[in-house]
Amino acid sequence: MKKRLTALVMAFLLGLLLFHFRIPIPFMLSGIISASVLKFFVWTDMRWPVLWRNLGLMAAGYGIGRSFTHDTLVQISQHVAGVFGASFVAIGISLLVAWFTYKHTFANLLSCIMGMLPGGLNQMMLMADEDPRADANVVVMQQTIRLFGVVISVPFLVIHLLGASVVPQGLLAPVGDNTGLTWLLMVPVAGIGSVVAKKLKVPTAALIGPIFVTAAFSIICAVNLQKPPPILMNLAQLNIGLYMGCMLDKERLLRTRVLLPYAIIGTLLIIGGSIVVAEILVRYYGIPIVTAFLAMAPGGMTEMCLAGMSMGADVSIILTYQIVRLLMMNLTVPFILRRYFDDSYTG
């Protein structure tokens, strides 16, 4: 309990500092930084409860899902070509980076592909553990560097490179002028969506279930749903960030440190490719550059949607692009990898 309380206080205080400087997703970033520092230098066995992370994802899922209305659904239907095209480009860039890493390091091609594919941290880690042909250390290290590199760098890029700004809001106070069906009713409904999604074995069920249930309720019933209060979203960010920080494995990172430059350069290339594709989306669809970039950024659906919420971007578009890529990753990539790398593959 002492470890968790220390991490929570440390993350909250750092989050206040980042909030003061108007950094996007300040409490998620503070959670990641605090947990990783404590795990690396103080308590190497530190863990964060999955239940607390899932409760945070549930609250985030409601906040994201409520942005969907019938009008946004019509708007999104016009982005079909862009959604699938952008997803294929993101996966294609990742495959090129994986091939380059394979050619210049000791890691085999299967491990490099699993390590660099965007948005599939949990899925790729699970596959690496189950497949003896893949080096789990390589996969975990590359996925960790990619995920944390994007989550930490993207908020700074959208502010200093793309000219975005954080939407001012109270830190702990309820949201003013917030009419509609109360969030106190909808958050438990979102929780039911999480349970159902888990039963159906949906990827990232704790997030996607609440998003779908909330969005369906908003569209079908045609009612406005209240924004969740800032204190709830800040607590959600803290728990998600602390869980992510505790995922870091110092020993695995040290064992594969020779791959570190390739993982960093690969992550930068993927981010650069995301900016280029975002510019194309801006020209073709006329959406704001910040929305387009967050829709393309390979940092994870939760993180990019929360960043979009903090900067007033169109969360429904960000979610659509991110979720299509996530589903493509989880539903097609495992099958393709198993077919391409048959039992005779040795690396």
Side-chain angles (χ1 to χ4, degrees):
M1 192 64 183
K2 175 186 174 182
K3 299 175 185 178
R4 292 172 184 171
L5 182 60
T6 302
L8 195 61
V9 172
M10 182 176 172
F12 179 72
L13 294 176
L14 179 58
L16 289 177
L17 181 64
L18 296 178
F19 178 84
H20 175 73
F21 287 105
R22 294 199 173 182
I23 303 299
I25 50 174
F27 291 97
M28 179 180 292
L29 293 178
S30 68
I32 293 172
I33 295 169
S34 301
S36 57
V37 167
L38 290 174
K39 186 168 183 180
F40 271 41
F41 301 107
V42 185
W43 299 300
T44 56
D45 61 340
M46 185 172 173
R47 297 288 184 272
W48 200 254
V50 176
L51 175 61
W52 295 7
R53 189 280 308 261
N54 287 344
L55 289 174
L57 288 175
M58 188 190 309
Y62 167 73
I64 296 167
R66 65 166 294 278
S67 65
F68 273 83
T69 64
H70 183 266
D71 291 338
T72 57
L73 197 62
V74 172
Q75 181 187 8
I76 289 167
S77 67
Q78 301 168 357
H79 286 250
V80 174
V83 168
F84 285 96
S87 298
F88 281 118
V89 169
I91 294 173
I93 294 173
S94 301
L95 292 176
L96 288 175
V97 171
W99 180 83
F100 182 83
T101 305
Y102 156 68
K103 285 294 184 179
H104 293 86
T105 67
F106 68 88
N108 63 40
L109 182 58
L110 177 61
S111 301
C112 292
I113 291 175
M114 287 184 178
M116 288 310 301
L117 285 172
L121 174 63
N122 294 326
Q123 178 74 15
M124 293 302 111
M125 287 172 62
L126 180 61
M127 287 185 63
D129 284 334
E130 294 176 345
D131 194 332
R133 299 167 300 177
D135 188 333
N137 290 323
V138 171
V139 176
V140 170
M141 191 282 287
Q142 288 187 310
Q143 283 285 353
T144 300
I145 295 300
R146 178 195 59 77
L147 178 61
F148 286 90
V150 173
V151 170
I152 291 174
S153 65
V154 163
F156 294 92
L157 286 174
V158 293
I159 287 179
H160 299 292
L161 181 63
L162 304 180
S165 60
V166 177
V167 177
Q169 60 176 337
L171 182 62
L172 299 175
V175 178
D177 190 23
N178 191 16
T179 58
L181 189 63
T182 175
W183 64 272
L184 289 170
L185 173 64
M186 288 307 303
V187 168
V189 173
I192 296 173
S194 176
V195 173
V196 172
K198 187 176 181 180
K199 294 282 188 183
L200 297 174
K201 296 183 179 181
V202 175
T204 323
L207 177 71
I208 293 181
I211 288 175
F212 280 162
V213 168
T214 306
F217 195 95
S218 174
I219 293 169
I220 295 172
C221 298
V223 294
N224 183 45
L225 304 179
Q226 280 187 348
K227 293 181 181 178
I231 185 173
L232 180 65
M233 297 308 296
N234 293 335
L235 285 172
Q237 284 190 37
L238 272 177
N239 279 287
I240 296 169
L242 286 166
Y243 184 88
M244 292 175 66
C246 287
M247 289 171 59
L248 286 172
D249 190 318
K250 184 178 180 180
E251 295 302 319
R252 275 182 162 172
L253 290 175
L254 289 175
R255 282 198 294 269
T256 54
R257 57 185 176 273
V258 68
L259 290 171
L260 186 61
Y262 294 92
I264 294 173
I265 293 171
T267 300
L268 293 176
L269 288 174
I270 294 172
I271 292 174
S274 298
I275 294 176
V276 172
V277 176
E279 288 285 356
I280 296 173
L281 294 176
V282 170
R283 293 176 181 273
Y284 190 77
Y285 291 110
I287 58 178
I289 182 61
V290 174
T291 297
F293 178 53
L294 291 175
M296 279 300 304
M301 177 171 56
T302 312
E303 297 79 12
M304 297 305 100
C305 285
L306 287 173
M309 289 172 66
S310 69
M311 288 178 281
D314 192 330
V315 179
S316 58
I317 290 179
I318 296 171
L319 174 65
T320 301
Y321 279 77
Q322 290 284 346
I323 203 168
V324 167
R325 189 171 66 210
L326 175 70
L327 292 175
M328 286 177 63
M329 287 286 307
N330 284 278
L331 297 178
T332 64
V333 168
F335 174 76
I336 293 171
L337 289 180
R338 290 192 184 99
R339 289 293 299 268
Y340 183 80
F341 297 98
D342 59 23
D343 293 336
S344 63
Y345 174 75
T346 59

